[in-house]
Amino acid sequence: MGISEKLSPRRFGPEDGVALPVALFGIILIAALGAGIWVSTSISARSVENRRISAEAVQLAEAGAAHAIHVLRDHLDGEDFTSILRGSDGAAGTSDDGLLVGYGLSSELEIPASGRALGDGTYTVEVIDDPAELDGDPTTDTNKRVLIRSSATTSGSGSATIDVVLNDGPNAFVPSIVTDGQLLVEGNPRLVGSCGGIHSNLQIDVTGDVTVSTEVASSDTVVVSGSITRPDGTTVAPRHHETQVEVTDYSNPYNEFCSSGEADYVLQSDGYVLETSSGTLYDARTQKQFGWQQVNTGPIEWELGGNTGYPGTYCVQGNAEIAGSPDDGSGGPLDMTVIATKSIDVSGNPQIRSSHPEDILLVAGSDLRISGNVLGDPGDYTGLIYARAQCDLHGNAQISSRVLCKDANNASGAYNLVDGNAIGGNVELDYDCAATTGVSGPREAVSWSQRVGE
């Protein structure tokens, strides 16, 4: 074609002009996907942030509840709940009703109406008459229970409320045995009396034939391959997914219950017995002192053997075994409390009841096992029985006490007496909510619930 010739016009086919719309559609699609991903990521980020804020508020409310329980249990234990409901001025209907202020509390212990700052938030606490009481008088306690309401707000606009029902015994219902861990019920145990019942915060496995006056309840499930009946022979339906019951964590029972004026004898880790009234030390490494002898040093073990015992509260540094059958000398119960930093093993047939001012009988910093024939009359074997680790009750024991099993790990140097919580054999717990046995024990939470965003 010469330079002067005209170019031929281009003919367009059916596919021409498609590329541009396709490209535009692709751009729009990518933009939409990007927007969707951004929205999804934004929602997810907000959800994570909301959960973080809620968790911080719950933790702050729990701190307030723990603060209040500590004050009521350890500093205002001499004030009854009616006094707490009416405030330190003792008058109903005034501004300090239900507040933990006054009473000679230090500023570090008080929780004023304006609340206490902690971290990036604030918690307030109010003590309220138990709503289940229904007596129409919010400043008078009649059932030995109050509700602690701890409300928290954070700088991130988080809020939460914790409600804790605190029991002052003896009229409130408290089951005869409560465990924080899984519980095996085997054999033919009987849990009788007005508070004769079982509660676990984990699963309960009933493989035996258990008799209860009230209920068998779990915060998880109750698996029954045996039977649950009342004393009259009627069948009892187990209760599932119930509110958890707090088992107090006495992480150092020696410090908790062996202060000045509470311990009569201290069984020291060095093998000497300190008689606190006189300040005298007795060498129990090779011979018994007050019925006790240190029989092992690795780990430390104290043993009460034979049938001779002395009344009083014994605070044991190490493991303790009651291998003998002591009584008061005339066949009646010996007033004796045993508190051990490690495990307690009752393998003999003692007749004992609490001598401690807080009505406790046996407190173990680790495992507790009762396997002997602790036979006695109703009203004997009174006082709180507590294991910070696992507890196991078998044999033919007849006990008028409440049993609490925290299910924590064994302490270093403690005998691993049992691998789980269990009650079996022909054990009988005859527990009347402390009404006839004098068993009250320290104040303890019997229910705990939370609400977020309130």
Side-chain angles (χ1 to χ4, degrees):
M1 177 177 65
I3 192 168
S4 60
E5 293 179 328
K6 294 182 179 179
L7 295 173
S8 300
R10 184 172 182 267
R11 298 181 181 273
F12 292 93
E15 294 84 2
D16 292 308
V18 173
L20 181 59
V22 169
L24 290 173
F25 179 77
I27 293 171
I28 294 170
L29 180 61
I30 291 171
L33 288 173
I37 292 172
W38 183 87
V39 170
S40 176
T41 302
S42 178
I43 292 173
S44 178
R46 287 199 301 270
S47 177
V48 170
E49 179 65 9
N50 288 339
R51 287 197 297 270
R52 182 190 67 79
I53 291 172
S54 296
E56 289 179 350
V58 169
Q59 291 173 351
L60 187 58
E62 288 179 343
H67 181 166
I69 292 171
H70 169 69
V71 171
L72 289 170
R73 179 183 287 157
D74 297 336
H75 298 276
L76 296 182
D77 55 331
E79 301 285 344
D80 63 30
F81 282 163
T82 293
S83 172
I84 300 299
L85 293 171
R86 296 180 180 181
S88 62
D89 65 2
T94 55
S95 61
D96 69 346
D97 286 4
L99 295 181
L100 299 180
V101 295
Y103 302 103
L105 294 172
S106 67
S107 58
E108 289 78 14
L109 292 174
E110 286 189 323
I111 308 177
S114 58
R116 291 191 66 93
L118 180 64
D120 66 346
T122 302
Y123 61 78
T124 60
V125 171
E126 182 182 10
V127 182
I128 303 169
D129 197 16
D130 180 18
E133 198 169 276
L134 300 176
D135 64 349
D137 185 349
T139 59
T140 301
D141 168 55
T142 60
N143 70 347
K144 305 294 185 180
R145 281 189 175 188
V146 292
L147 186 145
I148 299 170
R149 177 159 291 162
S150 173
S151 301
T153 57
T154 68
S155 60
S157 300
S159 61
T161 299
I162 299 288
D163 281 350
V164 181
V165 175
L166 194 68
N167 169 45
D168 201 26
N171 296 326
F173 170 72
V174 281
S176 9
I177 182 168
V178 179
T179 67
D180 231 5
Q182 191 166 335
L183 174 65
L184 172 64
V185 182
E186 56 186 354
N188 302 286
R190 290 173 52 84
L191 297 102
V192 295
S194 55
C195 281
I198 298 172
H199 181 97
S200 174
N201 291 327
L202 289 180
Q203 181 173 303
I204 299 175
D205 294 289
V206 179
T207 63
D209 299 316
V210 59
T211 301
V212 295
S213 296
T214 58
E215 63 185 23
V216 175
S218 169
S219 301
D220 193 298
T221 57
V222 182
V223 179
V224 182
S225 58
S227 67
I228 308 173
T229 58
R230 299 238 185 273
D232 63 6
T234 56
T235 300
V236 177
R239 300 171 64 91
H240 310 276
H241 308 297
E242 293 291 302
T243 301
Q244 287 201 353
V245 176
E246 184 201 20
V247 179
T248 305
D249 186 2
Y250 296 124
S251 58
N252 193 326
Y254 186 88
N255 289 348
E256 189 78 34
F257 300 115
C258 296
S259 62
S260 176
E262 294 181 316
D264 296 301
Y265 304 94
V266 177
L267 280 56
Q268 300 179 164
S269 58
D270 60 6
Y272 284 79
V273 177
L274 170 65
E275 184 182 34
T276 61
S277 61
S278 64
T280 305
L281 288 171
Y282 297 85
D283 189 349
R285 294 173 296 177
T286 57
Q287 62 181 3
K288 296 177 183 178
Q289 301 290 349
F290 306 101
W292 292 86
Q293 182 177 345
Q294 189 180 80
V295 296
N296 199 354
T297 58
I300 296 170
E301 178 186 357
W302 286 86
E303 180 185 79
L304 176 62
N307 300 325
T308 301
Y310 295 79
T313 293
Y314 292 80
C315 291
V316 181
Q317 296 176 355
N319 299 280
E321 180 179 8
I322 303 176
S325 303
D327 56 28
D328 67 350
S330 62
L334 174 68
D335 294 333
M336 183 178 73
T337 290
V338 178
I339 300 159
T341 60
K342 308 301 182 183
S343 297
I344 296 177
D345 192 8
V346 181
S347 59
N349 304 314
Q351 296 207 58
I352 54 176
R353 63 186 176 192
S354 172
S355 69
H356 193 275
E358 293 187 57
D359 291 320
I360 57 177
L361 183 64
L362 301 170
V363 174
S366 290
D367 285 343
L368 185 143
R369 178 173 64 186
I370 296 177
S371 57
N373 300 317
V374 193
L375 299 176
D377 298 324
D380 294 351
Y381 313 104
T382 62
L384 175 66
I385 295 177
Y386 175 91
R388 186 170 186 262
Q390 288 78 42
C391 56
D392 185 290
L393 279 66
H394 277 78
N396 298 303
Q398 290 183 333
I399 304 170
S400 298
S401 298
R402 189 180 183 204
V403 180
L404 300 178
C405 316
K406 181 60 183 173
D407 202 55
N409 294 327
N410 273 325
S412 176
Y415 284 136
N416 183 29
L417 300 177
V418 295
D419 293 324
N421 302 294
I423 180 170
N426 297 306
V427 171
E428 179 171 314
L429 290 181
D430 187 349
Y431 184 59
D432 285 325
C433 309
T436 59
T437 63
V439 183
S440 58
R443 288 171 173 168
E444 54 196 349
V446 295
S447 72
W448 188 291
S449 61
Q450 69 182 41
R451 301 185 300 281
V452 179
E454 295 186 22

